[in-house]
Amino acid sequence: MDFSPILISLKTASISIIITFFMGIFFAKKVVSLKSEKLKAWIDGILTLPLVLPPTVAGFFLLYIFGAKRPIGIFIEKILGYKIVFSFGATILAAVLISFPLMYRSARGAIEQVDKNLIYAGRTLGLSETTIFRNIVLPMARPGIVSGGVLAFTRGLGEFGATTMIAGNIAGKTRTLPLAIYSEVAAGDMNGAGQYVLVIVTLSFFIVACMNLLTQRKY
């Protein structure tokens, strides 16, 4: 069995969750703090959209924006000397886009559940909003945030559609576990596909089990 798809998937999920985790918390905090319900609904809809779109559609938008012949793609290649399409970076980009809504929605739900009286008490004590968020909101919302991070990680690990569109299926470079399973099935090698399926099922089960243990802890 070729282990490169396993390593590529783990690297992709690990890097993407770092980006997604902080982005999700940042945007969740910003949306929750909005006063206008209409504006909140519109922004929330935009941020959640990748969750309901078919992954291939999300991949199409990525390809349309970062394609080699698109302005942003050309700019990045000229300035940074890096071509995003069909690169390892493209697998990360796809994983971030698809997994972000899970992190954002979980973080937002957890933040909204924090007792507002604790926040008001912090303000009366003269604490800054940053201090309140760091010392009051985040600890109280930690179980939901942890759950969102774990779910986002597993979603990035299993991303297929958007990755196929922008990163392709290049062995040893962009072929993740889902793409390896697809390739083996397409080649008629069901045993090879089954081995990859066993790996991703085992990893996913282990990650979900860890999430259950983490969220059951008393903070």
Side-chain angles (χ1 to χ4, degrees):
M1 181 174 67
D2 182 9
F3 288 96
S4 64
I6 301 174
L7 297 176
I8 292 171
S9 288
L10 289 174
K11 284 171 59 179
T12 298
S14 299
I15 296 173
S16 66
I17 188 55
I18 295 173
I19 301 170
T20 304
F21 184 81
F22 291 104
M23 281 181 58
I25 295 176
F26 174 81
F27 281 104
K29 178 179 180 294
K30 292 297 182 182
V31 171
V32 170
S33 64
L34 290 175
K35 303 298 182 182
S36 172
E37 292 298 325
K38 289 185 178 180
L39 181 60
K40 184 183 294 187
W42 277 101
I43 296 178
D44 182 80
I46 294 171
L47 296 177
T48 308
L49 193 59
L51 184 65
V52 296
L53 283 176
T56 49
V57 175
F60 171 82
F61 282 118
L62 288 177
L63 191 60
Y64 188 81
I65 295 171
F66 296 100
K69 295 183 179 180
R70 307 305 303 175
I72 295 179
I74 294 173
F75 175 79
I76 293 175
E77 187 172 359
K78 285 185 176 180
I79 300 299
L80 302 179
Y82 186 78
K83 185 178 179 181
I84 294 180
V85 178
F86 303 128
S87 68
F88 174 69
T91 68
I92 297 173
L93 192 61
V96 168
L97 178 65
I98 298 301
S99 62
F100 168 79
L102 287 171
M103 184 65 224
Y104 159 73
R105 297 292 299 185
S106 297
R108 180 187 169 182
I111 292 171
E112 287 178 332
Q113 293 300 313
V114 174
D115 189 350
K116 298 297 187 296
N117 291 323
L118 296 175
I119 298 175
Y120 297 148
R123 289 171 179 168
T124 58
L125 292 173
L127 300 179
S128 66
E129 292 299 319
T130 301
T131 302
I132 292 172
F133 185 76
R134 184 178 64 248
N135 296 335
I136 297 175
V137 177
L138 281 181
M140 297 295 294
R142 190 178 301 173
I145 291 175
V146 170
S147 297
V150 173
L151 292 174
F153 180 86
T154 54
R155 186 65 187 85
L157 189 68
E159 164 50 31
F160 176 80
T163 303
T164 306
M165 292 291 290
I166 191 170
N169 186 9
I170 306 172
K173 186 176 182 182
T174 65
R175 180 173 293 174
T176 58
L177 273 170
L179 289 170
I181 294 169
Y182 174 81
S183 299
E184 296 297 333
V185 171
D189 186 358
M190 298 302 292
N191 290 330
Q195 290 178 330
Y196 287 125
V197 167
L198 180 61
V199 170
I200 198 168
V201 169
T202 302
L203 285 172
S204 299
F205 178 79
F206 175 76
I207 292 167
V208 172
C210 289
M211 177 188 71
N212 292 333
L213 292 173
L214 287 171
T215 54
Q216 287 172 3
R217 289 179 58 188
K218 301 296 184 181
Y219 292 96

